Amino acid sequence: DKGNHRHFMAKEIHEQPEVVGHVLGHYVDPAKQLLKLPEMPFDLAAIPRITIVACGTAYYAGVVAKYWFEQVARVPVDVDVASEFRYRECAMTPGGLALFISQSGETADTLAALRYCRSQDQHIASIVNVTESTIARESDHIFPTLAGPEIGVASTKAFVCQLMVLAVLAIATARARGAIDADEEQRLAAELTAMPRHLSDALHLGPLIEKLAQDELTDATDVLYLGRGASFPLALEGALKLKEISYIHAEGYPAGELKHGPIALIDDTLPVIVIAPWDRLFEKTVSNMQEVMARGGRIILLSDRKGISIAGDEATAVVELPDVDPFTAPILYAVPLQLVAYFTAVHKGTDVDQPRNLAKSVTVE
Ligand code: F6R
């Protein structure tokens, strides 16, 4: 049932404040504003390394998590797509944590990667939406994403819930390893607790993004997405979402890589979506943005009040997101990227919920 929405994808995008509330209910103690995680069959303080493996959108959630685990918990993290990882014969430190992310829990390559890690003396944990799935059954421990059934082939609410769970896990790992104290845990937990409200505010940008998609993107043949730090995997995710439902070619790049090749593509027909919450890397991203402008490129800047007051004049269009801590920004910025892809596809008239050639669950390699 799509409720009063035209597509399952729209319904699932709008469900995000609610399902993120479910994640918080499961993983955060509202009275103490501290995390509550069930007993795990491994010690987060003792694991020498985390290996994250997944496919597609779930992989991009893993790339965001790499930034979080490394910055907040100071633990080394490898992240790889399952189809590469499973055949790579990767050398692994025994006793490491292998973490699999999968909405369906049935993705063939992710499952094969899990079985390889089992043979390499890893603790096996998975972040799954379907808790009765094969990946869930073969794990030592599961972290449910509690997004509810996702019908749209393009993942939206499952991605945001994966990010929420990964953020919780990064904070818990940081606490276990003494990398942060209880005050900092409380502060970060409070930032997560505020997410349903911020996500609702971001959803109000729908009409503005619809117009922007129509004016700037519907006729584009290629779109470039740029970001730095944890906004880089968001650039990858934004590009994937646009490709799969609107069939417009799109690429995500780390903003600093621009001058190492993709800048050759810039002309006045190429929209460039810049994901730049105001943070310690903001000025760096703005200078990449200026390199695009200087070559006639059209910039769509996703930022917050401060970022837009500094750099908004230089952009062709701006989308102002609520002010959030840089730690939680990737969760929030997923929403405008989903809306950009959704409205572009709606205007192009493609099949939003069932894009050509794609299946919701990829159970063959
Ligand atoms: C993109 C998308 C896919 C899946 C990928 C992994 O919107 O939905 O890229 O993320 O096929 O699927 P799961 O998470 O079921 O393992």
Side-chain angles (χ1 to χ4, degrees):
D1 177 21
K2 294 176 203 155
N4 52 4
H5 294 281
R6 247 175 98 182
H7 300 98
F8 282 107
M9 186 179 178
K11 173 173 177 261
E12 289 161 2
I13 289 172
H14 283 86
E15 274 170 5
Q16 293 177 116
E18 183 191 333
V19 294
V20 162
H22 297 163
V23 177
L24 291 166
H26 190 85
Y27 293 99
V28 181
D29 178 332
K32 301 196 201 98
Q33 284 281 311
L34 290 173
L35 303 181
K36 53 166 192 201
L37 281 167
E39 192 81 30
M40 291 172 230
F42 43 83
D43 178 3
L44 288 175
I47 46 169
R49 183 169 210 101
I50 301 176
T51 304
I52 302 176
V53 185
C55 300
T57 286
Y59 165 71
Y60 297 143
V63 183
V64 173
K66 176 180 169 75
Y67 286 85
W68 283 337
F69 278 112
E70 291 183 344
Q71 263 169 22
V72 181
R74 311 296 302 153
V75 58
V77 175
D78 294 311
V79 54
D80 207 347
V81 287
S83 56
E84 282 303 310
F85 178 87
R86 67 177 290 191
Y87 295 115
R88 212 150 51 80
E89 296 177 50
C90 169
M92 305 188 82
T93 314
L97 175 63
L99 187 56
F100 302 88
I101 310 169
S102 177
Q103 188 285 127
S104 64
E106 302 295 347
T107 302
D109 285 323
T110 307
L111 179 60
L114 182 156
R115 289 176 179 159
Y116 176 79
C117 291
R118 176 73 72 200
S119 77
Q120 299 295 304
D121 287 323
Q122 302 296 297
H123 300 290
I124 310 288
S126 57
I127 295 181
V128 287
N129 201 37
V130 181
T131 51
E132 307 78 39
S133 57
T134 312
I135 287 172
R137 271 200 312 276
E138 295 199 18
S139 300
D140 301 332
H141 190 78
I142 63 168
F143 300 96
T145 44
L146 305 162
E150 193 179 59
I151 311 292
V153 163
S155 185
T156 53
K157 62 176 181 171
F159 175 69
V160 160
C161 289
Q162 285 161 356
L163 289 179
M164 285 293 294
V165 174
L166 286 160
V168 165
L169 207 50
I171 299 167
T173 307
R175 263 299 259 159
R177 301 171 86 86
I180 59 170
D181 59 17
D183 284 352
E184 181 66 358
E185 176 183 345
Q186 241 167 9
R187 192 185 71 77
L188 293 172
E191 296 292 345
L192 291 179
T193 306
M195 287 320 286
R197 181 165 46 85
H198 294 314
L199 294 169
S200 294
D201 290 345
L203 289 170
H204 288 130
L205 295 165
L208 179 136
I209 293 177
E210 178 167 15
K211 172 138 196 342
L212 185 154
Q214 193 173 6
D215 294 350
E216 300 292 333
L217 299 173
T218 311
D219 297 328
T221 53
D222 308 89
V223 178
L224 196 57
Y225 288 72
L226 300 177
R228 277 179 187 259
S231 296
F232 160 51
L234 265 291
L236 298 173
E237 168 61 8
L240 175 63
K241 217 90 297 170
L242 189 72
K243 278 186 268 223
E244 64 181 336
I245 64 169
S246 78
Y247 315 148
I248 295 173
H249 168 242
E251 280 192 74
Y253 255 97
E257 273 288 296
L258 190 64
K259 56 168 72 73
H260 299 287
I263 199 162
L265 296 169
I266 307 289
D267 64 20
D268 60 8
T269 67
L270 183 80
V272 181
I273 299 183
V274 178
I275 304 154
W278 193 83
D279 61 15
R280 68 191 170 90
L281 298 173
F282 183 78
E283 295 294 344
K284 304 263 175 214
T285 308
V286 169
S287 67
N288 300 129
M289 207 175 106
Q290 286 159 344
E291 290 157 7
V292 173
M293 302 299 293
R295 288 159 184 85
R298 302 178 67 76
I299 300 275
I300 298 161
L301 174 64
L302 311 188
S303 187
D304 43 30
R305 189 155 27 97
K306 186 147 186 194
I308 286 172
S309 76
I310 296 170
D313 288 348
E314 303 179 64
T316 309
V318 297
V319 177
E320 184 180 321
L321 278 301
D323 289 313
V324 292
D325 189 87
F327 180 78
T328 50
I331 306 170
L332 178 66
Y333 282 66
V335 172
L337 296 171
Q338 296 163 352
L339 292 172
V340 161
Y342 176 74
F343 285 118
T344 305
V346 168
H347 280 285
K348 290 200 68 175
T350 52
D351 189 344
V352 170
D353 284 333
Q354 288 285 327
R356 67 187 183 201
N357 311 339
L358 285 171
K360 182 67 182 161
S361 188
V362 185
T363 54
V364 290
E365 71 169 293

